[in-house]
Amino acid sequence: ASDTTRIAVNRPAAEVPIIVPNATTRPAPKQDTSPPVRATNGRVLVMIDPGHGGKDPGAIGLGSLREVDVILPIAKRVADILNKQGIAVKMTRNGDNFVGLDERVSMSREAGATLFVSIHANSIDNRPDVNGLETYHYNIGQSFADSVHRVVVDYVNKNGFYLNDRSVRSARFLVLRKSTIPAILVETGYLTSEAESARLRRDDYQKVMAEAIAKGIVQYIKDRN
């Protein structure tokens, strides 16, 4: 199955993206005109968005591992790490409750967020060999996605876990397309990969993944200021 098919199968209709499959066929990217990462009050505010929730459990992987049970602990850890480093954070949800896609974008806008990070886990039918990190952007989020993706791959691998690099990609996910600030969607791995699903359910791996995402966000903020 193609990546486009995978997303169509595993995402609600409102989230089905138009994906550029790989670098060799990708058209010249739009110029990233992201402003310096500063809120109007001089403080950065990152909106952390754990995907799905409530009536929408997201992807279901091997052993009935649910996406929502993987990404919320990671997202909470990312928020905690950023807070401890003096970076203001808000979350679109703190529990297993449903939040609509437009509502997530509205919450970010109303909070005055300067960065938006949506955290997910992936799946693909009948392809247990597929695994790895994918990071998505749309328009002004490209350099943010590049920065976070690079740091996550390097950090996870340096901490004794294998993480396949499945590249940075452009997609029309609603939470990216409707955001007016740099916004990315991080697919932390594939729940349909035996090895990767085993790692994603582990607390120590979730901790390293959260540290990696937070480190990437912090690095991007430093680079833009």
Side-chain angles (χ1 to χ4, degrees):
S2 67
D3 284 326
T4 303
T5 302
R6 169 183 57 76
I7 295 295
V9 169
N10 293 293
R11 295 287 174 215
E15 286 193 89
V16 175
I18 297 172
I19 295 177
V20 178
N22 54 58
T24 59
T25 59
R26 181 181 299 169
K30 295 180 181 180
Q31 183 179 6
D32 189 332
T33 56
S34 305
V37 184
R38 299 187 187 93
T40 54
N41 61 1
R43 192 179 188 195
V44 172
L45 172 60
V46 181
M47 180 64 74
I48 301 295
D49 174 46
H52 308 283
K55 64 182 181 181
D56 175 16
I60 307 295
L62 300 179
S64 299
L65 180 62
R66 304 191 312 162
E67 181 175 0
V68 289
D69 296 329
V70 171
I71 60 178
L72 184 59
I74 292 175
K76 285 182 173 180
R77 277 180 159 138
V78 172
D80 184 58
I81 294 168
L82 294 178
N83 272 320
K84 288 178 178 177
Q85 296 199 35
I87 297 172
V89 177
K90 287 196 174 183
M91 297 182 66
T92 56
R93 65 180 184 89
N94 287 290
D96 188 18
N97 56 290
F98 178 77
V99 182
L101 299 177
D102 281 300
E103 185 180 355
R104 295 168 191 260
V105 177
S106 295
M107 291 170 67
S108 176
R109 185 178 298 117
E110 291 168 6
T114 44
L115 295 172
F116 183 94
V117 180
S118 192
I119 299 175
H120 290 254
N122 224 328
S123 70
I124 181 170
D125 293 335
N126 303 315
R127 288 293 306 276
D129 57 306
V130 176
N131 63 85
L133 180 80
E134 298 168 8
T135 306
Y136 291 88
H137 67 89
Y138 180 73
N139 199 7
I140 64 171
Q142 183 175 349
S143 64
F144 187 24
D146 287 340
S147 180
V148 172
H149 185 89
R150 181 177 61 253
V151 171
V152 172
V153 171
D154 289 347
Y155 186 85
V156 172
N157 282 308
K158 286 178 181 177
N159 276 272
F161 296 101
Y162 172 71
L163 182 60
N164 184 31
D165 182 350
R166 283 183 54 84
S167 79
V168 172
R169 304 165 182 230
S170 175
R172 289 177 57 86
F173 291 119
L174 187 146
V175 294
L176 305 182
R177 187 177 74 250
K178 290 195 173 183
S179 291
T180 57
I181 57 175
I184 62 174
L185 188 149
V186 181
E187 293 278 9
T188 55
Y190 278 77
L191 301 179
T192 44
S193 160
E194 183 175 357
E196 197 152 58
S197 65
R199 288 193 295 269
L200 284 166
R201 69 170 69 242
R202 288 171 50 177
D203 182 76
D204 59 342
Y205 188 74
Q206 292 176 8
K207 179 176 180 291
V208 169
M209 179 61 70
E211 290 170 349
I213 294 171
K215 186 178 179 68
I217 295 169
V218 171
Q219 186 61 56
Y220 177 76
I221 291 170
K222 289 179 178 178
D223 290 344
R224 301 297 294 191
N225 283 278

